[in-house]
Amino acid sequence: MWTVSSSPQPNDTDCSTTEGVCPLRCDSYDIACYLIDNNGFVIISKERNDAGRFFGEVDGSVMTTLIRMGMFKRVSLFDYQAMCKMNHHSSNSARPLLSPFYGLASALNWFLSNLLLFLLEFNLCGLWHADHFADAKASFSVSSSHKKRGDILQPCDTEYPSFLHEPSIKETNSLIKCGRCQKMFVVQQVPDSNLLMLVVQADCDCSRQYPPITMEPMEVKYIASVKCNRMKSQKVRRRPESCHAYHSQENAKDCGGACVISLSVSLFLLCLSSSTLISR
């Protein structure tokens, strides 16, 4: 079992003369320490960019092992108010090249249609107001680029994974084999909290064998009958049956205190005398 020492101690890196638990420090280059919550999100890390990220994206090998060991379980969540990109599927058969006049007719049709659009959108007043003309041109180019990219959104249902810590498992450790190296990690629950302390051996890279675990949503494709049944069987949210407004380890005297605010007599007399002098 690994523990983390808060202050430098002699023989922190040499465990041969240490009795019992071997202390390790998080500032060591070959040790990575994380404080994660019960949903697997990083709260504290040595790398500032890791804070707030899902731990599966930071280290997929350790998160995959924790899921296999049952310390984290995967829960599927659904978003019934999501927006997805609409894919345009266009297919047509090629016209046989019977005559070169087909190409000339297509070119003439393209020229006349663009000329007509130009005459409809042409604004003579914009020649004297270059700023408005530039804004209109920019907005037109932005809208046309959106149309070209096909970034048109439509309502859809998405499914995305969520991970929840199993509270019955307080601590565990394991060894991950990654080719020529082995990665060891230890995880332990922080008492009286929903946090987990995770210490990982950082000098072994397992990214090739274990890809990162992401929480990207996936669009759910329904059949017409299945979608109607899903909308009919959707459960209505209910209020909790009981209210948990008290905890044995919480001191109610430390909360509130607004009712004990009293008037300062000295400050009241000072304000009253000052107002009297100013009025005279």
Side-chain angles (χ1 to χ4, degrees):
M1 179 179 177
W2 293 355
T3 58
V4 180
S5 60
S6 58
S7 58
Q9 297 179 4
N11 297 329
D12 271 351
T13 57
D14 185 11
C15 300
S16 59
T17 59
T18 305
E19 296 181 359
V21 179
C22 175
L24 295 174
R25 294 175 54 186
C26 285
D27 57 358
S28 178
Y29 72 95
D30 57 345
I31 297 297
C33 298
Y34 303 93
L35 190 66
I36 62 177
D37 62 359
N38 58 335
N39 293 117
F41 287 90
V42 179
I43 305 299
I44 299 176
S45 173
K46 290 196 298 184
E47 298 293 334
R48 182 175 298 180
N49 296 331
D50 293 342
R53 297 176 59 190
F54 178 61
F55 182 71
E57 300 177 356
V58 179
D59 195 331
S61 60
V62 177
M63 193 64 191
T64 302
T65 307
L66 291 176
I67 295 173
R68 292 176 181 175
M69 298 173 65
M71 191 164 193
F72 279 90
K73 60 181 180 180
R74 187 181 187 277
V75 180
S76 296
L77 300 179
F78 295 89
D79 186 3
Y80 300 114
Q81 297 180 345
M83 300 294 292
C84 302
K85 292 182 180 180
M86 184 171 55
N87 297 324
H88 296 278
H89 300 283
S90 59
S91 59
N92 53 0
S93 58
R95 176 176 293 182
L97 299 177
L98 299 179
S99 173
F101 290 103
Y102 284 117
L104 295 176
S106 300
L108 183 61
N109 185 20
W110 173 84
F111 177 76
L112 294 177
S113 59
N114 282 272
L115 180 62
L116 180 60
L117 289 176
F118 173 75
L119 294 176
L120 291 175
E121 296 178 357
F122 182 73
N123 186 7
L124 188 61
C125 183
L127 297 177
W128 284 270
H129 301 279
D131 51 350
H132 299 290
F133 184 74
D135 293 340
K137 184 177 180 181
S139 62
F140 177 75
S141 61
V142 170
S143 61
S144 60
S145 62
H146 274 281
K147 291 181 180 180
K148 290 181 180 179
R149 289 198 305 266
D151 296 343
I152 300 177
L153 302 179
Q154 64 177 357
C156 64
D157 295 347
T158 56
E159 177 185 1
Y160 59 96
S162 178
F163 298 89
L164 188 63
H165 169 239
E166 179 60 40
S168 60
I169 304 178
K170 302 295 183 181
E171 59 179 317
T172 185
N173 61 81
S174 181
L175 187 67
I176 306 174
K177 295 182 179 180
C178 303
R180 298 181 179 180
C181 63
Q182 295 180 348
K183 177 185 290 188
M184 184 178 181
F185 71 90
V186 175
V187 58
Q188 185 175 10
Q189 184 178 5
V190 179
D192 301 329
S193 70
N194 65 331
L195 303 178
L196 299 171
M197 183 65 187
L198 182 60
V199 181
V200 184
Q201 187 177 352
D203 56 354
C204 180
D205 187 12
C206 301
S207 58
R208 294 184 178 180
Q209 292 81 3
Y210 296 89
I213 301 176
T214 63
M215 302 180 68
E216 293 294 331
M218 299 293 294
E219 183 179 0
V220 181
K221 300 292 185 179
Y222 293 108
I223 307 175
S225 58
V226 177
K227 187 173 184 178
C228 293
N229 294 332
R230 196 270 301 167
M231 296 179 66
K232 292 180 181 178
S233 62
Q234 188 171 356
K235 297 181 180 180
V236 182
R237 294 185 178 181
R238 296 183 302 175
R239 296 177 63 87
E241 298 179 357
S242 60
C243 179
H244 303 278
Y246 171 75
H247 194 272
S248 58
Q249 298 183 358
E250 180 180 3
N251 187 6
K253 295 182 180 180
D254 295 338
C255 302
C259 59
V260 299
I261 297 178
S262 58
L263 179 64
S264 176
V265 180
S266 58
L267 184 61
F268 175 73
L269 294 176
L270 180 61
C271 294
L272 183 61
S273 59
S274 300
S275 59
T276 305
L277 294 176
I278 294 173
S279 60
R280 289 181 180 177

